[in-house]
Amino acid sequence: MARFKAKQPSSGAAEKKKPRMSNAERSAYFSRREAAKVLRSVLQGDAHRRAVASIKSLVYSPSIKNKKATFALVCQTLKHLPIIKDVLEGANILNSRWKRQVELVYIITYDILFGQEISFVGDAEKFLLQRKVSLQSALAQLLVRKKMKCIEDLLDRYQTPDVSKPRYVRVNTLKLDVDSALIDLRKQYMVEKDDVVPDLLKLPPKCDLHDHPLVMNGSVFMQGKASSMVAAALDPDPGWEVLDACAAPGNKTVHLAALMRGKGKVIACELNKERIKRLADTVRLSGACNIEVFHGDFLSLDPKDPPYSKVRAILLDPSCSGSGTVAERLDHLLPSHAAGQSANVDETERLTKLASFQKKVLTHALCFPQVERIVYSTCSIHQIENEDVVNSILPLAASHGFRLGTPFPKWHRRGLPVLEGFEHLVRTDPVEDKEGFFIALFVREEGSVIHPSLSPDSSHLSLVKRTKRKNLSKKEARIRMPTLYGGMFKMFLYSKPSFRVNLK
C-alpha cells in the first residue's frame, strides 16, 4: 500500500514573497545608485584636487543606463550639498555602515527633503525615510541658525548663476557632409554654420542631442567651439603622420582624422588605463581607419625611433587646471568652488606643477626631427599655464627653426601682452565665448636645419650637445636619457606599460 506524505503547511515567512519592484521603483532605485557612483568619483577628484572627467562625461558614459535621471540627481544633489551635509550633521543619524556609502546617502537625502517623494525602495532609502522627521527638524534649525526665511535664500548663498551657451556639434566628415547634417538637424532645431570652424554647427542652448541618431552613429560629435578650434589650428595635410600626445577622450583625435580625409596616420597617445577605453570607443564611433591608439606615455617616445621619426605635426593638449571650462564641466557645483579654494596656496602649487609638466611635453615635442607644426592648447585661463609656458619655450623653439604661427587671423581675441609675439596666440574668453581656451601654433621655418642631437637641459631650457654614438643598447640608451627625464621620473616612466590597442 502506497504511503503519501502529507503536505506540510508553509510558514508565513515562506509564503510572503518579496514584492517585485514596479518600473518606476526600479528606475528610481538604479538611478540613485548610478548617481552615487558618479558623485563619488567627482567628490574624490575634487577633494584631492585631481583632474577627473566632467560630470557630463561621467554621466553620459556607456555604463550609465538612465542618463537623464542620473544627471539631474547628481547636479541637484551637488547644488544642495552644503545644506545636506549640515542637515545630516545636525540630525546625527548616520552609523558606520552608511558613512561608508555617504554619496548614496547624499542622493537620497536630497530626494527626501527637496525632490519628489516617490519610489523609496531599498535599504538606504528605508533607513533615511524612517528618520525623515529628524532630517526635517535639522533643516528647520539650520534655517534659524543661518537667519534665513526659506530654502531658496539658503541656496542663494552657495549657487553660481547658470551659464547659458550655444550647443555646438562638429560634423564628422568621414561619415557625413556638412550640408546633409544641416538638412537633418533643421528638421528639429534652428541650426547655422559656425563662422570660424568650417565643419562646426551652432544650435540653441540646452538642445539635448545625446540620443539623436546622428550622435549615436558618430556622424556628428557634440564638441564645443573652442575645443574644435584646436585641431583646426594644427591643420595637418592629408597623408601626413600626426601625433596626438594626450589624446583621450578622443574628440580632437577623430577631428584630426577627418581633416586628413582619412589619409595618412594619426598616432593617439594616452597613458591613463581608464581613459584609453574611452578613446578607443570614440575612434570606433568615428569610423576613422587611420588612427593608431597607443597606450603609453608621450614623454617615453624616442623621436628618432622609426615609428615617430616621420611625424609631421603634433597636437599637445596636456593636463591643465580646466579653469576655462568650469561652467561646461559644472565645476561651480563642487565643494572646492563653494569654499573659495581657487586662490589658495594649494591651488598655486598645483598650477606650478601643471606648468612644469606642460613645459616638459612641449619641449619633448620640439625634438621630433621631421615635425613642421605643433599646437599647444589648454582649457585654462591662467597665464602661468599659457603665455608663461610658451614664453619659456620660445628660445628652444627658435633654435629648432620654429616661430609662432597665426591661426585664425580674423579671430579678435589674442594672447596677453606679456611676451613678444603675443598677437599670434589665440584665447577664448569664459564670459564672452562661454569657455576659456588657449592655443599656440609653432611652425618650422622652411629650410631650417634640424638638429636631432639637441635636447633640453633640466635646470633651464638652454641647449646641450650630446656625443653621437651608434648601435646603443636599450640599457645604454636609458642611462643616457637627458637629465630632464632622469631620476625618479625615469623609474616611473619605465614602470608604465605601453602598447598599441587593437580596435578591431
Side-chain angles (χ1 to χ4, degrees):
M1 183 175 176
R3 293 183 179 180
F4 296 93
K5 189 175 180 180
K7 186 177 180 179
Q8 298 294 327
S10 58
S11 63
E15 289 178 353
K16 290 183 179 179
K17 292 183 179 180
K18 191 174 181 180
R20 295 183 63 181
M21 289 189 286
S22 66
N23 290 337
E25 289 172 335
R26 183 183 297 274
S27 177
Y29 178 87
F30 286 107
S31 292
R32 291 190 187 109
R33 277 141 189 86
E34 288 183 330
K37 182 180 178 181
V38 171
L39 189 61
R40 170 172 290 188
S41 178
V42 170
L43 292 179
Q44 286 180 348
D46 186 55
H48 295 93
R49 308 301 292 144
R50 183 180 70 248
V52 296
S54 69
I55 296 171
K56 287 184 178 179
S57 296
L58 290 169
V59 169
Y60 286 98
S61 67
S63 62
I64 303 297
K65 304 301 181 186
N66 195 343
K67 292 177 171 52
K68 290 184 179 180
T70 301
F71 182 68
L73 268 176
V74 172
C75 291
Q76 290 301 322
T77 301
L78 281 170
K79 287 180 180 180
H80 293 78
L81 190 57
I83 301 173
I84 291 171
K85 286 183 175 180
D86 284 343
V87 166
L88 289 171
E89 184 179 353
N92 193 25
I93 59 174
L94 297 187
N95 54 33
S96 58
R97 175 189 177 186
W98 298 117
K99 285 180 181 179
R100 290 192 295 269
Q101 302 180 56
V102 69
E103 293 82 14
L104 179 57
V105 170
Y106 292 155
I107 296 288
I108 299 170
T109 302
Y110 162 75
D111 258 351
I112 290 175
L113 293 178
F114 311 108
Q116 297 179 350
E117 292 190 32
I118 56 171
S119 306
F120 285 110
V121 177
D123 292 342
E125 283 88 342
K126 291 176 182 177
F127 173 83
L128 290 167
L129 200 57
Q130 290 169 359
R131 292 154 180 82
K132 179 179 177 180
V133 174
S134 297
L135 293 172
Q136 291 175 331
S137 176
L139 178 58
Q141 292 174 18
L142 178 63
L143 287 170
V144 173
R145 192 165 67 250
K146 297 290 186 180
K147 299 180 180 179
M148 298 290 173
K149 295 180 180 180
C150 59
I151 300 297
E152 288 72 20
D153 292 341
L154 200 56
L155 283 172
D156 287 341
R157 296 190 56 179
Y158 303 105
Q159 290 190 25
T160 301
D162 292 333
V163 178
S164 180
K165 57 178 293 187
R167 164 68 72 189
Y168 285 98
V169 295
R170 181 181 57 78
V171 181
N172 177 15
T173 52
L174 294 174
K175 287 189 171 183
L176 188 70
D177 63 89
V178 174
D179 290 336
S180 296
L182 273 170
I183 293 171
D184 198 321
L185 291 171
R186 279 176 175 166
K187 294 176 183 177
Q188 295 178 262
Y189 309 101
M190 294 180 59
V191 189
E192 60 185 66
K193 292 183 179 180
D194 182 66
D195 57 353
V196 176
V197 182
D199 49 1
L200 196 66
L201 303 179
K202 180 181 178 182
L203 288 80
K206 299 182 179 180
C207 288
D208 188 357
L209 298 172
H210 290 92
D211 297 326
H212 194 282
L214 293 183
V215 174
M216 299 294 287
N217 66 23
S219 295
V220 302
F221 281 83
M222 292 186 294
Q223 186 174 356
K225 176 171 180 171
S227 175
S228 301
M229 291 170 67
V230 176
L234 188 62
D235 193 23
D237 289 344
W240 277 16
E241 290 193 12
V242 178
L243 197 151
D244 188 350
C246 310
N251 285 346
K252 299 181 183 70
T253 310
V254 297
H255 192 185
L256 289 171
L259 290 170
M260 296 163 65
R261 302 172 197 165
K263 301 176 182 178
K265 181 169 70 173
V266 179
I267 303 170
C269 191
E270 177 57 46
L271 178 61
N272 185 279
K273 182 179 179 181
E274 295 301 319
R275 287 168 63 83
I276 201 81
K277 297 176 183 177
R278 179 77 183 277
L279 171 61
D281 288 341
T282 303
V283 173
R284 288 191 194 96
L285 183 64
S286 73
C289 298
N290 62 330
I291 297 176
E292 181 182 281
V293 176
F294 176 74
H295 182 195
D297 191 343
F298 168 68
L299 290 173
S300 72
L301 304 183
D302 185 347
K304 291 177 287 184
D305 276 354
Y308 315 113
S309 60
K310 297 180 181 179
V311 168
R312 304 277 295 276
I314 298 177
L315 192 153
L316 290 174
D317 186 35
S319 298
C320 71
S321 63
S323 53
T325 57
V326 292
E328 176 70 15
R329 290 173 52 89
L330 305 177
D331 286 356
H332 61 282
L333 300 177
L334 299 178
S336 62
H337 190 277
Q341 294 180 9
S342 59
N344 64 19
V345 176
D346 291 341
E347 179 69 3
T348 301
E349 183 180 350
R350 187 173 78 97
L351 290 174
T352 301
K353 289 181 178 179
L354 284 169
S356 177
F357 170 73
Q358 292 153 358
K359 292 174 186 177
K360 286 180 182 178
V361 294
L362 184 49
T363 298
H364 191 55
L366 292 168
C367 297
F368 285 73
Q370 298 299 322
V371 68
E372 297 179 26
R373 297 171 71 85
I374 298 172
V375 159
Y376 169 74
S377 70
T378 74
C379 53
S380 170
I381 61 173
H382 298 301
Q383 177 184 324
I384 188 175
E385 297 182 270
N386 298 331
E387 287 85 0
D388 289 355
V389 169
V390 171
N391 195 30
S392 68
I393 297 296
L394 280 178
L396 177 65
S399 70
H400 282 268
F402 285 93
R403 59 173 175 79
L404 287 174
T406 311
F408 313 112
K410 296 182 180 180
W411 185 256
H412 57 289
R413 225 178 302 283
R414 294 289 163 178
L416 301 178
V418 293
L419 75 160
E420 186 177 350
F422 73 91
E423 66 278 5
H424 299 292
L425 307 175
V426 172
R427 269 184 176 266
T428 64
D429 186 81
V431 176
E432 296 294 328
D433 306 310
K434 310 304 180 186
E435 52 188 349
F437 268 66
F438 174 85
I439 300 173
L441 170 65
F442 294 84
V443 180
R444 194 190 292 272
E445 298 277 10
E446 290 186 15
S448 61
V449 180
I450 300 173
H451 301 286
S453 62
L454 297 178
S455 68
D457 181 78
S458 60
S459 58
H460 49 82
L461 295 176
S462 61
L463 302 177
V464 293
K465 285 279 187 177
R466 288 191 296 170
T467 305
K468 293 183 179 178
R469 292 186 184 180
K470 295 182 179 180
N471 302 321
L472 281 177
S473 69
K474 187 177 291 187
K475 182 177 180 181
E476 289 174 323
R478 289 182 182 179
I479 293 174
R480 294 185 65 244
M481 180 177 285
T483 310
L484 177 63
Y485 308 123
M488 293 301 295
F489 180 78
K490 185 171 69 177
M491 293 171 62
F492 164 80
L493 184 63
Y494 286 104
S495 68
K496 293 291 180 183
S498 61
F499 54 87
R500 282 164 179 78
V501 178
N502 186 2
L503 297 178
K504 295 181 181 179

